[in-house]
Amino acid sequence: MSKNFLSCQAQDVAACCCVDVGTVIDNSDLNVSFKKIFQSKEEAEEVLAYLKTKAQKAAFSGFNVVDEIISTSDGYVLKANFTFECQAEAIIFQLEVRQL
């Protein structure tokens, strides 16, 4: 097979059945934001601990998190913004916590 046949770019395939990973993951999206309302502060803290554990497992090179739990009339709002050092880590983290 020729080298041209094996190369793959997004514009090469009209049906997009195959693309170069670099066209999808360009390392520009390193942030994952999470926001959810809980009935109790303890529940919000448990979920935050869970998120941090999953982030540690996904991050090969480290991550940063800025979080807060705010009391409102609806309950307790957990806001957490995770910043990873590479986009693949952020994607792995998103897949790990998608059920929340």
Side-chain angles (χ1 to χ4, degrees), residues 44-58:
E45 289 171 344
E46 285 178 25
V47 171
L48 179 58
Y50 173 81
L51 291 171
K52 288 179 178 180
T53 299
K54 290 296 186 179
Q56 287 173 337
K57 289 181 181 178

PDB file of all heavy atoms in Angstrom, residues 44-58:
ATOM      1  N   ALA A  44     -22.459  16.847  48.949  1.00  0.00           N
ATOM      2  CA  ALA A  44     -21.628  17.619  48.025  1.00  0.00           C
ATOM      3  C   ALA A  44     -20.144  17.353  48.271  1.00  0.00           C
ATOM      4  O   ALA A  44     -19.368  17.205  47.325  1.00  0.00           O
ATOM      5  CB  ALA A  44     -21.934  19.108  48.163  1.00  0.00           C
ATOM      6  N   GLU A  45     -19.761  17.266  49.547  1.00  0.00           N
ATOM      7  CA  GLU A  45     -18.362  16.981  49.883  1.00  0.00           C
ATOM      8  C   GLU A  45     -17.953  15.580  49.445  1.00  0.00           C
ATOM      9  O   GLU A  45     -16.824  15.366  48.989  1.00  0.00           O
ATOM     10  CB  GLU A  45     -18.131  17.174  51.380  1.00  0.00           C
ATOM     11  CG  GLU A  45     -18.176  18.629  51.806  1.00  0.00           C
ATOM     12  CD  GLU A  45     -18.173  18.833  53.311  1.00  0.00           C
ATOM     13  OE1 GLU A  45     -18.446  17.863  54.066  1.00  0.00           O
ATOM     14  OE2 GLU A  45     -17.899  19.971  53.740  1.00  0.00           O
ATOM     15  N   GLU A  46     -18.855  14.615  49.564  1.00  0.00           N
ATOM     16  CA  GLU A  46     -18.579  13.243  49.125  1.00  0.00           C
ATOM     17  C   GLU A  46     -18.342  13.195  47.617  1.00  0.00           C
ATOM     18  O   GLU A  46     -17.421  12.529  47.142  1.00  0.00           O
ATOM     19  CB  GLU A  46     -19.733  12.317  49.488  1.00  0.00           C
ATOM     20  CG  GLU A  46     -19.805  11.943  50.939  1.00  0.00           C
ATOM     21  CD  GLU A  46     -21.007  11.055  51.232  1.00  0.00           C
ATOM     22  OE1 GLU A  46     -21.494  10.347  50.312  1.00  0.00           O
ATOM     23  OE2 GLU A  46     -21.460  11.063  52.391  1.00  0.00           O
ATOM     24  N   VAL A  47     -19.179  13.889  46.874  1.00  0.00           N
ATOM     25  CA  VAL A  47     -19.030  13.909  45.417  1.00  0.00           C
ATOM     26  C   VAL A  47     -17.744  14.624  45.026  1.00  0.00           C
ATOM     27  O   VAL A  47     -17.028  14.181  44.123  1.00  0.00           O
ATOM     28  CB  VAL A  47     -20.267  14.539  44.737  1.00  0.00           C
ATOM     29  CG1 VAL A  47     -20.018  14.762  43.251  1.00  0.00           C
ATOM     30  CG2 VAL A  47     -21.482  13.644  44.948  1.00  0.00           C
ATOM     31  N   LEU A  48     -17.416  15.697  45.712  1.00  0.00           N
ATOM     32  CA  LEU A  48     -16.165  16.403  45.424  1.00  0.00           C
ATOM     33  C   LEU A  48     -14.965  15.488  45.667  1.00  0.00           C
ATOM     34  O   LEU A  48     -14.042  15.440  44.845  1.00  0.00           O
ATOM     35  CB  LEU A  48     -16.051  17.669  46.273  1.00  0.00           C
ATOM     36  CG  LEU A  48     -14.775  18.484  46.086  1.00  0.00           C
ATOM     37  CD1 LEU A  48     -14.596  18.914  44.627  1.00  0.00           C
ATOM     38  CD2 LEU A  48     -14.773  19.691  47.016  1.00  0.00           C
ATOM     39  N   ALA A  49     -14.991  14.746  46.756  1.00  0.00           N
ATOM     40  CA  ALA A  49     -13.898  13.799  47.042  1.00  0.00           C
ATOM     41  C   ALA A  49     -13.819  12.737  45.947  1.00  0.00           C
ATOM     42  O   ALA A  49     -12.724  12.370  45.500  1.00  0.00           O
ATOM     43  CB  ALA A  49     -14.100  13.161  48.404  1.00  0.00           C
ATOM     44  N   TYR A  50     -14.967  12.255  45.507  1.00  0.00           N
ATOM     45  CA  TYR A  50     -15.025  11.273  44.422  1.00  0.00           C
ATOM     46  C   TYR A  50     -14.419  11.845  43.139  1.00  0.00           C
ATOM     47  O   TYR A  50     -13.622  11.191  42.464  1.00  0.00           O
ATOM     48  CB  TYR A  50     -16.476  10.849  44.195  1.00  0.00           C
ATOM     49  CG  TYR A  50     -16.698   9.969  42.996  1.00  0.00           C
ATOM     50  CD1 TYR A  50     -16.444   8.602  43.058  1.00  0.00           C
ATOM     51  CD2 TYR A  50     -17.167  10.498  41.802  1.00  0.00           C
ATOM     52  CE1 TYR A  50     -16.647   7.793  41.954  1.00  0.00           C
ATOM     53  CE2 TYR A  50     -17.377   9.702  40.694  1.00  0.00           C
ATOM     54  CZ  TYR A  50     -17.117   8.342  40.771  1.00  0.00           C
ATOM     55  OH  TYR A  50     -17.315   7.554  39.667  1.00  0.00           O
ATOM     56  N   LEU A  51     -14.809  13.078  42.800  1.00  0.00           N
ATOM     57  CA  LEU A  51     -14.280  13.733  41.592  1.00  0.00           C
ATOM     58  C   LEU A  51     -12.762  13.895  41.665  1.00  0.00           C
ATOM     59  O   LEU A  51     -12.055  13.653  40.682  1.00  0.00           O
ATOM     60  CB  LEU A  51     -14.946  15.095  41.392  1.00  0.00           C
ATOM     61  CG  LEU A  51     -16.422  15.084  41.004  1.00  0.00           C
ATOM     62  CD1 LEU A  51     -17.002  16.494  41.067  1.00  0.00           C
ATOM     63  CD2 LEU A  51     -16.612  14.482  39.617  1.00  0.00           C
ATOM     64  N   LYS A  52     -12.270  14.287  42.826  1.00  0.00           N
ATOM     65  CA  LYS A  52     -10.825  14.464  42.979  1.00  0.00           C
ATOM     66  C   LYS A  52     -10.086  13.134  42.839  1.00  0.00           C
ATOM     67  O   LYS A  52      -9.005  13.074  42.237  1.00  0.00           O
ATOM     68  CB  LYS A  52     -10.502  15.118  44.316  1.00  0.00           C
ATOM     69  CG  LYS A  52     -10.875  16.589  44.359  1.00  0.00           C
ATOM     70  CD  LYS A  52     -10.557  17.203  45.718  1.00  0.00           C
ATOM     71  CE  LYS A  52     -10.885  18.682  45.768  1.00  0.00           C
ATOM     72  NZ  LYS A  52     -10.587  19.279  47.080  1.00  0.00           N
ATOM     73  N   THR A  53     -10.669  12.065  43.361  1.00  0.00           N
ATOM     74  CA  THR A  53     -10.060  10.735  43.216  1.00  0.00           C
ATOM     75  C   THR A  53     -10.003  10.324  41.751  1.00  0.00           C
ATOM     76  O   THR A  53      -8.981   9.826  41.267  1.00  0.00           O
ATOM     77  CB  THR A  53     -10.854   9.690  44.030  1.00  0.00           C
ATOM     78  OG1 THR A  53     -10.812  10.062  45.400  1.00  0.00           O
ATOM     79  CG2 THR A  53     -10.284   8.295  43.859  1.00  0.00           C
ATOM     80  N   LYS A  54     -11.087  10.535  41.033  1.00  0.00           N
ATOM     81  CA  LYS A  54     -11.119  10.204  39.608  1.00  0.00           C
ATOM     82  C   LYS A  54     -10.146  11.073  38.812  1.00  0.00           C
ATOM     83  O   LYS A  54      -9.515  10.604  37.866  1.00  0.00           O
ATOM     84  CB  LYS A  54     -12.542  10.361  39.052  1.00  0.00           C
ATOM     85  CG  LYS A  54     -13.509   9.318  39.549  1.00  0.00           C
ATOM     86  CD  LYS A  54     -13.100   7.935  39.080  1.00  0.00           C
ATOM     87  CE  LYS A  54     -14.118   6.891  39.448  1.00  0.00           C
ATOM     88  NZ  LYS A  54     -13.737   5.553  38.966  1.00  0.00           N
ATOM     89  N   ALA A  55     -10.004  12.334  39.196  1.00  0.00           N
ATOM     90  CA  ALA A  55      -9.063  13.218  38.509  1.00  0.00           C
ATOM     91  C   ALA A  55      -7.630  12.742  38.733  1.00  0.00           C
ATOM     92  O   ALA A  55      -6.815  12.761  37.807  1.00  0.00           O
ATOM     93  CB  ALA A  55      -9.238  14.653  38.985  1.00  0.00           C
ATOM     94  N   GLN A  56      -7.322  12.319  39.945  1.00  0.00           N
ATOM     95  CA  GLN A  56      -5.979  11.810  40.236  1.00  0.00           C
ATOM     96  C   GLN A  56      -5.672  10.578  39.405  1.00  0.00           C
ATOM     97  O   GLN A  56      -4.553  10.406  38.925  1.00  0.00           O
ATOM     98  CB  GLN A  56      -5.838  11.475  41.724  1.00  0.00           C
ATOM     99  CG  GLN A  56      -5.749  12.690  42.610  1.00  0.00           C
ATOM    100  CD  GLN A  56      -5.781  12.347  44.090  1.00  0.00           C
ATOM    101  OE1 GLN A  56      -6.269  11.289  44.488  1.00  0.00           O
ATOM    102  NE2 GLN A  56      -5.266  13.250  44.914  1.00  0.00           N
ATOM    103  N   LYS A  57      -6.661   9.710  39.218  1.00  0.00           N
ATOM    104  CA  LYS A  57      -6.458   8.506  38.408  1.00  0.00           C
ATOM    105  C   LYS A  57      -6.286   8.838  36.927  1.00  0.00           C
ATOM    106  O   LYS A  57      -5.556   8.162  36.221  1.00  0.00           O
ATOM    107  CB  LYS A  57      -7.618   7.539  38.605  1.00  0.00           C
ATOM    108  CG  LYS A  57      -7.627   6.897  39.970  1.00  0.00           C
ATOM    109  CD  LYS A  57      -8.784   5.933  40.121  1.00  0.00           C
ATOM    110  CE  LYS A  57      -8.785   5.309  41.500  1.00  0.00           C
ATOM    111  NZ  LYS A  57      -9.910   4.396  41.703  1.00  0.00           N
ATOM    112  N   ALA A  58      -6.969   9.870  36.464  1.00  0.00           N
ATOM    113  CA  ALA A  58      -6.906  10.236  35.041  1.00  0.00           C
ATOM    114  C   ALA A  58      -5.662  11.043  34.701  1.00  0.00           C
ATOM    115  O   ALA A  58      -5.188  11.007  33.570  1.00  0.00           O
ATOM    116  CB  ALA A  58      -8.147  11.039  34.653  1.00  0.00           C
TER     117      ALA A  58
END
